[in-house]
Amino acid sequence: MRVLITGGSGFFGLHMGRHLLEDGHQLVLYDLVPIDLKEYEEIDGPLAGGWQERITFCQGDVRDRSAVACALKGVDAVIHAAAALPLWSPKDILTTNIVGTDVVLSVARSLNVPRVLFVSSTSVYGIPEKHPLYESDPLSGVGLYGTSKIWAERICDRYRKMGMTVTVIRPKTFVGPGRLGVFQILFDWIDRGKPIPLIGWGANRYQLLDVGDLTDAVVQLLTAPDEVVNDVFNIGATRFGTVWEDVSALCEYAGTGAHPFPTPARVSQAVLHLLEALRLSPLYKWVYMTADKDSFVSTDRIRSRLNWEPRYSNVESLIRTYEWYQRNRTRLNLSSGVTHRSAWEQGALRLLRDILPSGSVGGRVR
């Protein structure tokens, strides 16, 4: 199978591409920036020989119809993962996530591409009061990013009604080797043995997802019959505790003396909102406004239709992400916080980190 991945240089694109290569497929990677192919082995070990010959890279914007058409020629399936993240400009978020999705689907339809899979987000559910969340629940996006994903899903539904097979997935926040962003900030504080401020008391349950489990699910969705996958699917871990329990378990594993401590949610959120407005913090609304709330979805639909089961719990995923960070932290470059594969500049959070006292350090090297 020849598979096109938009956003092929991103965190998900890298893992998804590696999984498809391991299964013997051909890849077309489409992105604004090229990818260094050595990262495929740096992220999770060696691949079988000759895998580089099965990759084609096309550089372009998903809003550029002619470039998208060039990339889509001869593909059997499209994984549309390209997106403008919350810290991008409002114009780029709206045009990339909405117009770009329409362009990809329109071109795929004109070229008779058999299947498109769109990577949406659980941010489309907003901040609801009841859990778990089901695919049929009302949508109310958090911020412009969440709203843009709702509109993109509506576009997917429109093309599905035209007769296309369009799978929509709503993954929980996914982690794994190479995931940085907000998690790199957490790991940095843990390495330094710092108290880890929680937004709220940590009694809420916040479901994560291992990127390996996500790519397993996507492969199954690409290969199952049309009538099974032409729908919307939540994807998330099935084993997770409270935020306090999961962060405590990671800190205990690290052995640096770091530990979680609670803060009043409203105060923390107000401060973070101000810092975001002043561009003094990389944390955006979707992160800090949901951190004290329950956030977990039902995975009944995908588990029953595909017999898919996630391998990793929240804690297991966090630990294997932290282990990768430990091995690679000396070569990380800081950025302003626009991708999940970058180590973010902490801004005012760094000042707080340096003020807080370090705990007793255990067996891990800081």
Side-chain angles (χ1 to χ4, degrees):
M1 184 164 59
R2 184 174 173 86
V3 182
L4 169 73
I5 305 175
T6 70
S9 296
F11 172 67
F12 168 74
L14 178 62
H15 281 274
M16 191 71 247
R18 180 184 167 93
H19 192 140
L20 290 168
L21 288 170
E22 289 174 334
D23 288 352
H25 300 292
Q26 293 184 326
L27 290 184
V28 180
L29 302 177
Y30 187 82
D31 209 318
L32 288 169
V33 295
I35 187 170
D36 186 344
L37 292 185
K38 69 181 181 182
E39 294 187 50
Y40 274 91
E41 296 195 312
E42 288 178 349
I43 202 75
D44 212 12
L47 287 162
W51 59 270
Q52 298 96 331
E53 299 170 2
R54 290 184 281 121
I55 297 180
T56 300
F57 181 78
C58 297
Q59 189 165 354
D61 193 308
V62 291
R63 296 166 289 190
D64 183 339
R65 185 180 181 88
S66 61
V68 170
C70 182
L72 260 68
K73 288 180 180 177
V75 304
D76 302 300
V78 177
I79 300 172
H80 178 39
L85 298 177
L87 288 183
W88 290 40
S89 72
K91 178 181 177 181
D92 281 332
I93 291 173
L94 292 174
T95 56
T96 300
N97 298 356
I98 301 174
V99 176
T101 299
D102 187 58
V103 168
V104 169
L105 285 164
S106 174
V107 173
R109 183 170 183 261
S110 69
L111 295 176
N112 296 313
V113 176
R115 185 168 298 186
V116 176
L117 183 145
F118 173 61
V119 182
S120 186
S121 166
T122 53
S123 65
V124 298
Y125 292 116
I127 309 176
E129 295 297 324
K130 71 97 177 174
H131 289 83
L133 296 165
Y134 293 89
E135 290 88 349
S136 57
D137 282 334
L139 305 184
S140 176
V142 176
L144 198 58
Y145 176 78
T147 301
S148 72
K149 288 290 189 178
I150 292 175
W151 280 101
E153 285 197 20
R154 289 174 179 167
I155 292 170
C156 292
D157 186 57
R158 175 159 54 89
Y159 280 92
R160 194 182 295 123
K161 290 175 180 176
M162 294 180 189
M164 291 182 67
T165 298
V166 185
T167 303
V168 172
I169 61 170
R170 296 172 182 163
K172 286 297 297 175
T173 300
F174 46 91
V175 297
R179 177 65 192 253
L180 295 171
V182 67
F183 290 95
Q184 181 270 334
I185 297 175
L186 170 65
F187 298 154
D188 174 59
W189 285 47
I190 289 175
D191 265 359
R192 297 169 186 271
K194 297 291 182 174
I196 310 299
L198 303 181
I199 298 176
W201 309 111
N204 57 309
R205 300 177 70 202
Y206 201 103
Q207 180 186 31
L208 298 175
L209 171 64
D210 192 279
V211 70
D213 289 329
L214 174 57
T215 59
D216 284 344
V218 170
V219 168
Q220 291 190 45
L221 289 165
L222 287 178
T223 54
D226 289 354
E227 62 271 17
V228 173
V229 302
N230 205 17
D231 210 336
V232 181
F233 297 90
N234 292 330
I235 309 179
T238 54
R239 292 178 290 131
F240 52 96
T242 65
V243 170
W244 182 277
E245 291 167 341
D246 289 345
V247 173
S248 294
L250 177 60
C251 289
E252 182 178 356
Y253 173 83
T256 61
H259 59 277
F261 78 91
T263 66
R266 290 187 179 180
V267 175
S268 299
Q269 289 164 344
V271 170
L272 289 170
H273 180 70
L274 176 62
L275 293 177
E276 181 190 13
L278 296 174
R279 299 184 179 274
L280 296 176
S281 167
L283 302 186
Y284 44 84
K285 186 177 181 180
W286 171 241
V287 174
Y288 60 78
M289 290 305 294
T290 63
D292 66 321
K293 308 290 193 304
D294 281 332
S295 182
F296 53 96
V297 299
S298 166
T299 57
D300 290 349
R301 178 177 290 178
I302 191 169
R303 291 166 67 198
S304 62
R305 291 198 193 175
L306 296 180
N307 199 29
W308 170 84
E309 290 292 338
R311 292 171 290 167
Y312 298 97
S313 68
N314 270 15
V315 172
E316 290 164 344
S317 296
L318 287 169
I319 286 175
R320 85 185 197 104
T321 308
Y322 176 71
E323 288 176 335
W324 182 92
Y325 169 78
Q326 284 280 313
R327 296 192 301 269
N328 293 276
R329 60 182 179 171
T330 57
R331 64 181 184 86
L332 302 180
N333 296 316
L334 295 177
S335 82
S336 58
V338 293
T339 76
H340 295 315
R341 290 185 58 206
S342 302
W344 292 356
E345 292 277 9
Q346 297 187 37
L349 302 182
R350 181 176 178 177
L351 297 176
L352 176 61
R353 180 201 70 189
D354 292 342
I355 291 171
L356 291 172
S358 298
S360 57
V361 179
R364 292 266 163 182
V365 177
R366 286 169 57 188

